[in-house]
Amino acid sequence: MQDFEYQKPKTVTEAGDAFNAQSDGSFLAGGQTLIPVLKQGLAMPSGLIDLAGIGDLQGITATESTLTVGAMTTHARVAASPEVQKAIPALAGLAGGIGDPQVRNRGTLGGSLANNDPSADYPAAVLALSALVVTDKRRIPADGFFTGMFETALDEGELITDVEFPVAERAAYAKFPNPASRYAVAGVFVARVDGAVRVAVTGAGPVVFRAAEMEAALDKDFQADALEGIAVPEADLIADIHASAGYRAHLIGVMAGRAVDAANANGDAA
């Protein structure tokens, strides 16, 4: 690991100034991806700007219609939050299934979204719930945020500050986890938001995506049986040592059905 300048600002403005002062700076959130990358020499920033000291980036607030989670809020805090458990129980459940206790107590919502690992869990929730990713410069709708593998709509130096989740009428997440990492081999988040169904798939493709055919079927009948015969094309999916594209296509259907059943278990079918 090469030498770099370390800074721990107290405000978002100070963080932006520190980043702009570096020739090749990098923000440090929970460090669950960045620290291993640094140790392997795959990234060599001139400076690290640690966001852990910025209180304004942490915390959870809820209204009747919106749940707002600060970018530096850890997975463990989201999972244990009474506000999250009441407003969007599926989000609390998702956070509680990320990695292991060490990862959940260090990893953050904003760090996960900015990294946009194709197997990460949070992108599925953000996309299915039609959330807004709030930065120090603008508000980015979920449908325009995830642009490719490890790529987002964030500009250089742009910092996620909060994520605003609409409170869903019903929602659930189901994933088939890698037994070692707990990353999603395939995960499906199903939500009915403002009367419309959204289905987001993570782990199976190069980037999180919506399953339009499943959404249309569930809009007509929000039951797992409505998904019978619907398959995501294998050509759009990834294949690796963990699963073939065909197996991931199968898992998407199974996980989608489980998510719908779980969503309906919290109330009568809509």
Side-chain angles (χ1 to χ4, degrees), residues 146-166:
F146 306 102
T147 59
M149 183 181 288
F150 296 106
E151 296 180 350
T152 71
L154 292 172
D155 292 331
E156 184 76 12
E158 188 172 8
L159 181 63
I160 299 174
T161 58
D162 304 278
V163 179
E164 296 179 0
F165 296 93

Side-chain angles (χ1 to χ4, degrees), residues 57-270:
L57 296 182
Q58 303 179 36
I60 298 166
T61 59
T63 67
E64 289 187 2
S65 60
T66 305
L67 177 73
T68 302
V69 182
M72 284 296 290
T73 306
T74 64
H75 312 323
R77 187 171 178 183
V78 172
S81 165
E83 292 87 355
V84 179
Q85 292 171 0
K86 179 180 178 181
I88 311 176
L91 184 62
L94 177 151
I98 295 174
D100 54 31
Q102 290 80 4
V103 168
R104 291 193 291 273
N105 279 281
R106 290 297 303 171
T108 66
L109 170 62
S112 176
L113 297 182
N115 187 53
N116 192 23
D117 189 294
S119 297
D121 297 295
Y122 271 129
V126 169
L127 188 57
L129 291 166
S130 191
L132 280 172
V133 180
V134 183
T135 77
D136 56 341
K137 297 179 174 63
R138 54 184 170 147
R139 297 159 64 86
I140 309 173
D143 284 319
F145 183 79
F146 306 102
T147 59
M149 183 181 288
F150 296 106
E151 296 180 350
T152 71
L154 292 172
D155 292 331
E156 184 76 12
E158 188 172 8
L159 181 63
I160 299 174
T161 58
D162 304 278
V163 179
E164 296 179 0
F165 296 93
V167 174
E169 297 163 35
R170 62 188 58 218
Y173 178 61
K175 75 170 176 179
F176 186 90
N178 179 295
S181 68
R182 311 305 293 175
Y183 270 114
V185 177
V188 181
F189 199 111
V190 175
R192 185 183 290 278
V193 182
D194 294 330
V197 174
R198 295 169 65 95
V199 178
V201 180
T202 190
V207 65
V208 64
F209 63 91
R210 290 174 60 187
E213 192 174 355
M214 289 184 175
E215 291 177 345
L218 293 172
D219 261 326
K220 296 176 181 177
D221 181 14
F222 198 80
Q223 298 288 341
D225 290 348
L227 301 175
E228 291 186 7
I230 298 176
V232 174
E234 294 181 25
D236 299 332
L237 306 180
I238 58 176
D240 54 24
I241 61 173
H242 304 297
S244 66
Y247 188 55
R248 280 188 162 93
H250 170 72
L251 285 176
I252 292 170
V254 174
M255 294 303 113
R258 290 181 183 178
V260 173
D261 284 340
N264 282 332
N266 295 323
D268 295 332

Side-chain angles (χ1 to χ4, degrees), residues 18-44:
F19 183 93
N20 292 332
Q22 293 292 327
S23 60
D24 183 23
S26 181
F27 290 124
L28 173 65
Q32 299 307 287
T33 297
L34 181 57
I35 296 301
V37 166
L38 290 173
K39 291 173 68 176
Q40 295 174 51
L42 300 177
M44 294 180 286

